[in-house]
Amino acid sequence: MAERTGGRRLSGIALGATLALVGLVPVLSLVVQAAADEWRAPAPWPQRLGTRGVEVAFSDTTGAIAAIQGSLVVGVATTHIAIAIVWPAARLIGERGAARTRIVWLALALPLLVPPFAIGSGLAEWLIRFGIADSYSALVIAHLVPVVPYVVLVLASAFTPDLRALEEVAEVHGAGPLTRIRLVTLPAIGPTLAVAALLGFLVSWSQYGLSLAVGGGTPMLPLLLVPFVDTDPQVAAVLALVFLAPTLLALLVTARVLAGARSARLAAPPI
């Protein structure tokens, strides 16, 4: 039995190390490309390293700072609005179960089946009619289309019958609606809410087609990155690392949040 347990642990460690290596290799290749001031084929390594890529990427003429700020503003605003919008729907879906809400899930998934640029092209006409085209408001509205389904999917898993029972106990003891949300609901769904917010932000952060169709030249990081792929790979690598930074940070934060939640469950006394 001990040998089997040890073998499983070694297999798990080997699998984890393999997955980590597979995930790190592309990132490391971007780091090398970003630092390669001179890299001529067929040499396997750069002939000269330097900081030219960073200097060009963040120069005044490139507009990287404005693009990063634009992506951050749109991503944060979209995430907050999405959570506020989907909270009642996620609660209803979570409490009723997936079997009774299949039509709702299908309706939420439909926008994800359409190419983002096609959705953006359809929205652009209406945004022009309302006079908010080519603005951050237009981008937030457009980004809500792909963000909302993901946020609902994650957040619905937090609204379980056990949470409803805890809220009813608090209500019996005289806790009002705001008190129940502050002392019962938010602490119970905190880890799931954090994951939903991070996922929603990353979906918004990575939108290229929607931003291209609706933004009308509003500076956004994906729109700035793509042209450099052909014209200057070194600058493209620098911007790609900036583009990946929130994803890596989100993975670290999510892992810590989930690990903390698991430790809390294990430390909790049995009922």
Side-chain angles (χ1 to χ4, degrees), residues 109-123 142 145-146 207-210 213:
L110 286 178
L112 303 179
L113 303 178
V114 182
F117 187 81
I119 295 175
S121 299
L123 287 174
V145 175
Q207 290 302 312
Y208 175 80
L210 278 173

Side-chain angles (χ1 to χ4, degrees), residues 30 57 62-64 67-68 71 205-206 208 219-244:
L30 285 175
T62 304
I68 294 171
S71 294
W205 174 265
S206 61
Y208 175 80
M220 299 288 286
L221 185 57
L223 302 182
L224 179 67
L225 166 62
V226 172
F228 281 106
V229 174
D230 290 330
T231 60
D232 196 330
Q234 186 182 14
V235 176
V238 174
L239 295 175
L241 290 174
V242 176
F243 186 74
L244 285 175

Side-chain angles (χ1 to χ4, degrees), residues 162-246:
D162 293 338
L163 175 59
R164 169 62 71 179
L166 290 174
E167 292 175 334
E168 291 176 351
V169 170
E171 183 178 7
V172 169
H173 286 79
L178 294 179
T179 303
R180 292 198 302 271
I181 291 176
R182 180 170 58 88
L183 298 180
V184 179
T185 307
L186 287 179
I189 71 170
T192 306
L193 182 61
V195 173
L198 288 171
L199 180 59
F201 174 80
L202 292 177
V203 172
S204 174
W205 174 265
S206 61
Q207 290 302 312
Y208 175 80
L210 278 173
S211 301
L212 181 64
V214 174
T218 304
M220 299 288 286
L221 185 57
L223 302 182
L224 179 67
L225 166 62
V226 172
F228 281 106
V229 174
D230 290 330
T231 60
D232 196 330
Q234 186 182 14
V235 176
V238 174
L239 295 175
L241 290 174
V242 176
F243 186 74
L244 285 175

